[in-house]
Amino acid sequence: MAASLHFFHLLLLISFFLCNLNLSQAKPSHPPNGLIFHVTKDVSTLQYMTTIHHGTPLVPTKLVVDLGGPFLWLNCGSSSSSSRLISQGSIQCLAAKPKTHDQGSKNYLSSNDHNKKNKKNKCHVFPENSITQMATQGDLVQDIMAVQVIDGSSKTESGSITTLDSNFLFSCAPMFLLNGLASGARGMLGLGRTQISMTSQISTKLSSKLQFMLCLSSSNGVILHNNGHFGSEISNSLAYTYTPLLTNQHEYFINLKYIKISGKRLSLNKEGFREGIKLSTTVPYTTMESSVYVTFTRAYEQAAMAMNMTRVAPVAPFGLCFSSEQAEGRGDGPKVPVIDLVLQSEMVKWRIHGRNSMVQVSNQVMCLGFLDGGSDLKTSIVIGGYQLEDTLLHFDLSASLLGFSSQTSCSDLRLDFALKDSL
């Protein structure tokens, strides 16, 4: 009996992928060369925002970018005439179920938006607000999704809004799940490693390699998807360093062997320090487990004193601040101790200069943009949005690799060639 059920589930999964392939081939005869999501930063919440268009009629909808989110969710309302509920036991529901949530680590709330009589035939998933760590039950639906394209041909106007899919899968969520999100946001855009994340669905529709680029900025950032190889001008002009992505459900983790500050290796408590570190767009600043944070800030302060920096009273939420009046500025920010995250080997380093380590809180004061996450932090280090800014990240999910380059300013990144066909 168990073998028969396993075989049945396998058939459903094969049918799901064949169905998606047929849908992508049935869409425009000339698929766009690439898709772009413009990303802005909300100054009040420090959350990164983008806009999609969905439904009938097409409605622009602001979403908070959630790098590790398992899927797109939003407060749907009832305005779209093309929205369709996904039923329990369907191919789409089966694809949405594996590892889309971890009930042991979230706070789950019930919703009274739907009565029990109508719930039994719907496909339920668990959308999560990763800002507040709250999650609830939501309905899986499909609807029209339209995005901005970048195209190297004359058949599609570059920069236009084009329907990507009329059967795009996402979750509807109750209004209370929007608590804690930036003003105007109606949900979250999940880019995690699941079958129904935005990344996976776009890859299927474009029949392209499972990969995307992310470049955050304090002003104008981007998420880029393409049909084929990434633009040769970007690839040739930037020096990428690659490190393996660790397998950890739908979120993005990389290996960290140790940390150096001004070339000196930190002696970290092995109980508090675990080698896998997480990348997050919903955490504004890099957050560390308490014992790691204490060791890190002590070492940083010593390195700063050796550079004749002047410590001043801390400014919340930061714990270590300095006078910026005498700080020398340069292209990569103020001249301060350099932080090296040594990854899988001594040869592979993620170097953090003053631009991504220091936060200017006033004309006279700058603070180290790393926070104490407490002793119960499940991941010893979570790399936050501020440390990711102006670093072009290449998520090659097919090869399970992360490429990163700090030799760019995301605000100045040229998009006219970014996703053109490389042929």
Side-chain angles (χ1 to χ4, degrees):
M1 181 67 178
S4 299
L5 285 174
H6 178 75
F7 181 69
F8 174 70
H9 285 168
L10 182 62
L11 285 177
L12 284 178
L13 282 173
I14 294 173
S15 301
F16 173 75
F17 288 118
L18 290 175
C19 177
N20 271 338
L21 179 62
N22 290 334
L23 285 171
S24 64
Q25 292 174 341
K27 287 314 267 174
S29 58
H30 174 76
N33 281 340
L35 307 175
I36 176 172
F37 297 84
H38 292 283
V39 179
T40 59
K41 189 174 184 178
D42 180 72
V43 294
S44 177
T45 62
L46 305 182
Q47 295 167 17
Y48 299 95
M49 308 280 291
T50 192
T51 300
I52 63 165
H53 294 73
H54 80 99
T56 303
L58 283 176
V59 176
T61 304
K62 291 183 178 181
L63 301 172
V64 174
V65 177
D66 185 0
L67 177 62
F71 47 77
L72 187 157
W73 66 263
L74 55 87
N75 180 247
C76 298
S78 57
S79 57
S80 176
S81 62
S82 52
S83 176
R84 298 176 298 282
L85 285 167
I86 301 300
S87 60
Q88 180 71 22
S90 65
I91 299 170
Q92 298 95 327
C93 188
L94 182 63
K97 291 294 186 180
K99 297 183 181 180
T100 56
H101 66 283
D102 176 8
Q103 295 193 32
S105 61
K106 313 301 178 188
N107 295 314
Y108 282 82
L109 296 178
S110 62
S111 171
N112 296 321
D113 289 351
H114 310 287
N115 60 59
K116 293 182 179 180
K117 181 179 178 181
N118 293 327
K119 278 187 173 183
K120 61 181 181 179
N121 294 323
K122 299 177 182 179
C123 179
H124 295 134
V125 290
F126 288 84
E128 178 201 348
N129 180 330
S130 55
I131 306 293
T132 61
Q133 297 293 303
M134 302 304 298
T136 189
Q137 183 173 275
D139 296 329
L140 186 67
V141 301
Q142 61 183 18
D143 204 346
I144 293 172
M145 182 68 64
V147 296
Q148 187 175 358
V149 302
I150 295 179
D151 202 275
S153 75
S154 58
K155 296 181 181 180
T156 306
E157 182 183 353
S158 184
S160 63
I161 303 298
T162 300
T163 298
L164 170 67
D165 188 9
S166 59
N167 298 287
F168 192 89
L169 294 171
F170 58 96
S171 174
C172 287
M175 182 71 74
F176 65 74
L177 207 59
L178 301 179
N179 292 336
L181 299 187
S183 177
R186 286 187 54 196
M188 305 190 81
L189 179 72
L191 299 173
R193 303 174 80 175
T194 68
Q195 293 184 46
I196 65 167
S197 71
M198 174 65 80
T199 301
S200 295
Q201 292 193 72
I202 286 178
S203 176
T204 299
K205 303 313 169 187
L206 295 182
S207 298
S208 64
K209 185 177 180 181
L210 188 57
Q211 63 180 353
F212 66 98
M213 280 183 172
L214 172 67
C215 205
L216 299 178
S217 168
S218 60
S219 52
N220 300 309
V222 290
I223 302 168
L224 304 173
H225 294 265
N226 86 312
N227 185 8
H229 299 289
F230 282 103
S232 59
E233 293 188 54
I234 286 184
S235 300
N236 294 334
S237 63
L238 298 176
Y240 279 104
T241 301
Y242 281 89
T243 190
L245 285 167
L246 304 182
T247 301
N248 193 294
Q249 294 192 25
H250 52 79
E251 297 180 299
Y252 294 101
F253 283 73
I254 58 175
N255 192 38
L256 175 67
K257 290 295 185 183
Y258 51 87
I259 301 172
K260 286 184 175 181
I261 297 178
S262 292
K264 294 183 179 180
R265 179 172 174 173
L266 274 62
S267 297
L268 296 172
N269 183 341
K270 291 185 177 181
E271 291 184 2
F273 175 69
R274 295 171 293 279
E275 292 186 353
I277 61 173
K278 183 168 74 171
L279 278 63
S280 173
T281 56
T282 57
V283 174
Y285 302 104
T286 293
T287 305
M288 298 176 165
E289 188 272 337
S290 288
S291 66
V292 176
Y293 178 79
V294 169
T295 302
F296 177 80
T297 51
R298 284 177 180 171
Y300 195 93
E301 182 179 7
Q302 291 176 1
M305 295 301 101
M307 296 178 64
N308 296 319
M309 293 172 59
T310 303
R311 184 173 179 180
V312 299
V315 179
F318 307 108
L320 186 60
C321 298
F322 301 91
S323 170
S324 61
E325 292 183 329
Q326 304 300 323
E328 297 180 23
R330 52 189 184 185
D332 51 13
K335 187 178 180 180
V336 297
V338 172
I339 302 167
D340 283 322
L341 305 180
V342 181
L343 305 179
Q344 68 265 34
S345 72
E346 177 67 30
M347 301 298 294
V348 183
K349 303 174 184 177
W350 187 323
R351 176 156 288 184
I352 301 175
H353 292 282
R355 177 175 65 178
N356 293 99
S357 65
M358 283 293 169
V359 180
Q360 195 73 38
V361 297
S362 71
N363 292 334
Q364 296 81 30
V365 177
M366 59 183 181
C367 297
L368 184 63
F370 292 72
L371 303 180
D372 185 346
S375 58
D376 295 329
L377 193 66
K378 293 188 176 182
T379 303
S380 58
I381 300 175
V382 179
I383 304 297
Y386 189 79
Q387 280 67 45
L388 297 178
E389 288 183 6
D390 290 315
T391 300
L392 187 58
L393 301 173
H394 174 202
F395 292 85
D396 186 345
L397 306 186
S398 297
S400 199
L401 291 172
L402 171 69
F404 55 93
S405 173
S406 299
Q407 300 176 344
T408 185
S409 170
C410 297
S411 300
D412 299 329
L413 186 65
R414 286 182 59 203
L415 298 178
D416 54 342
F417 61 73
L419 295 174
K420 285 184 180 180
D421 195 338
S422 59
L423 296 179

